[in-house]
């Protein structure tokens, strides 16, 4: 049951009003964006995506920041296919008018979604493009480290994690993600050392608990 069935208890007055305007064919981009946000808040992700796409059709000149945020929110809710569809539309609409931070933001989200959908070639190409544009993009370096780690390209994984750890604002996350990769390789002592480094810089309770587990494994499997 959705608000479009009218009998649903989830229908707020705002949602009913926006749907009336939409059914009358008078919904502009603002109304469609607001409608999508309400559907998103109720986890009606297909309807949210539909509204966001309709908004781009209604006003292809709107600020790209809005649809980029919408793609990020859909991806954050686990709706990778829907996010991918919206990113395709964004690329089509803004192809010749995407630059600077917006281009980086688009490329980063494209990489994350592609990785989630196991579109490895697109994911790697997008991440490498980010690093070409900004060699200090720590998030991209960490994502590439994780990708190569999962694909057992160990030297590349180590290289990207180490490069990310050299960037101060990404150092802690790089150390933690590197440690997780090492745990997957059963290198518990080395992983524990990296987690200790991360904790020395910025202590976190969840990391402390993880470190405790890793140290127990290290003691069990130490020769």
């Amino acid at each position: 049951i959705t608000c479009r069935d009218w009998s649903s208890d989830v229908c707020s007055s705002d949602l009913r009003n926006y749907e009336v305007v939409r059914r009358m064919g008078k919904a502009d981009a603002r109304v469609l964006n607001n409608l999508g946000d309400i559907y998103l808040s109720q986890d009606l992700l297909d309807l949210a995506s539909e509204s966001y796409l309709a908004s781009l059709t209604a006003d292809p000149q709107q600020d790209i920041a809005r649809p980029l945020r919408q793609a990020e929110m859909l991806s954050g809710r686990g709706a990778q296919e829907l996010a991918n569809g919206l990113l395709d539309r964004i690329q089509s609409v803004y192809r010749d008018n995407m630059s600077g931070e917006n281009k980086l933001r688009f490329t980063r989200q494209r990489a994350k979604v592609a990785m989630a959908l196991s579109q490895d070639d697109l994911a790697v190409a997008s991440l490498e493009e980010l690093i070409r544009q900004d060699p200090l993009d720590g998030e991209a370096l960490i994502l590439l480290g994780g990708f190569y780690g999962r694909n057992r390209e160990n030297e590349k994984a180590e290289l990207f994690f180490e490069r990310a750890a050299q960037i101060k604002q990404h150092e802690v996350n790089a150390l933690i993600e590197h440690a997780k990769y090492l745990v997957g390789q059963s290198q518990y002592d080395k992983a524990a050392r990296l987690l200790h480094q991360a904790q020395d810089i910025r202590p976190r309770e969840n990391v402390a608990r993880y470190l405790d587990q890793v140290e127990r494994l290290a003691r069990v499997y130490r020769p």
Side-chain angles (χ1 to χ4, degrees):
I1 296 177
T2 73
C3 191
R4 294 186 183 180
D5 299 308
W6 298 113
S7 60
S8 172
D9 291 337
V10 303
C11 290
S12 67
S13 60
D14 284 344
L15 188 46
R16 288 180 184 273
N17 291 337
Y18 286 138
E19 275 292 350
V20 168
V21 174
R22 185 194 65 81
R23 290 188 179 198
M24 292 171 64
K26 296 184 178 181
D28 60 13
R30 182 188 64 82
V31 167
L32 291 164
N33 280 325
N34 289 339
L35 186 60
D37 288 346
I38 295 171
Y39 279 130
L40 186 77
S41 72
Q42 297 176 353
D43 285 326
L44 299 171
L45 303 182
D46 287 326
L47 294 179
S49 173
E50 180 184 326
S51 295
Y52 294 149
L53 290 168
S55 172
L56 270 178
T57 299
D59 181 13
Q61 302 301 316
Q62 63 182 281
D63 187 345
I64 190 176
R66 186 74 182 260
L68 281 175
R69 182 180 66 84
Q70 293 161 351
E72 290 164 355
M73 291 190 300
L74 287 169
S75 178
R77 298 292 183 93
Q80 307 300 345
E81 291 285 0
L82 296 176
N84 197 45
L86 184 53
L87 289 169
D88 285 342
R89 182 70 65 84
I90 291 170
Q91 185 171 31
S92 176
V93 170
Y94 296 96
R95 185 184 303 274
D96 299 323
N97 297 296
M98 201 186 306
S99 60
E101 182 56 37
N102 286 327
K103 186 173 183 180
L104 290 173
R105 186 176 174 186
F106 172 85
T107 307
R108 184 175 294 106
Q109 191 58 41
R110 174 64 92 187
K112 289 179 178 179
V113 170
M115 196 169 289
L117 294 174
S118 299
Q119 297 172 349
D120 291 351
D121 290 343
L122 177 57
V124 171
S126 297
L127 290 170
E128 290 179 343
E129 174 62 22
L130 282 171
I131 294 170
R132 277 194 294 272
Q133 294 181 55
D134 180 7
L136 299 180
D137 190 325
E139 185 176 5
L141 291 168
I142 291 169
L143 287 170
L144 271 173
F147 171 80
Y148 285 120
R150 288 189 297 276
N151 285 275
R152 300 186 179 184
E153 296 188 51
N154 300 331
E155 290 185 7
K156 285 185 176 181
E158 294 273 358
L159 173 65
F160 283 110
F161 284 131
E162 289 169 1
R163 283 178 60 184
Q166 293 172 10
I167 304 167
K168 188 173 182 61
Q169 62 267 40
H170 295 282
E171 183 179 8
V172 171
N173 286 340
L175 290 168
I176 293 169
E177 293 304 315
H178 192 176
K180 290 179 180 177
Y181 156 73
L182 291 170
V183 168
Q185 299 294 308
S186 300
Q187 298 183 46
Y188 304 117
D189 282 316
K190 187 175 179 181
R193 287 195 295 272
L194 294 181
L195 291 171
H196 275 294
Q197 283 182 249
Q199 287 295 85
D200 287 343
I201 299 167
R202 190 191 309 154
R204 300 178 184 175
E205 288 187 14
N206 63 320
V207 176
R209 291 192 295 270
Y210 184 55
L211 172 57
D212 184 60
Q213 294 171 4
V214 173
E215 289 184 324
R216 285 202 300 269
L217 287 169
R219 288 192 293 271
V220 170
Y221 291 101
R222 190 171 291 142

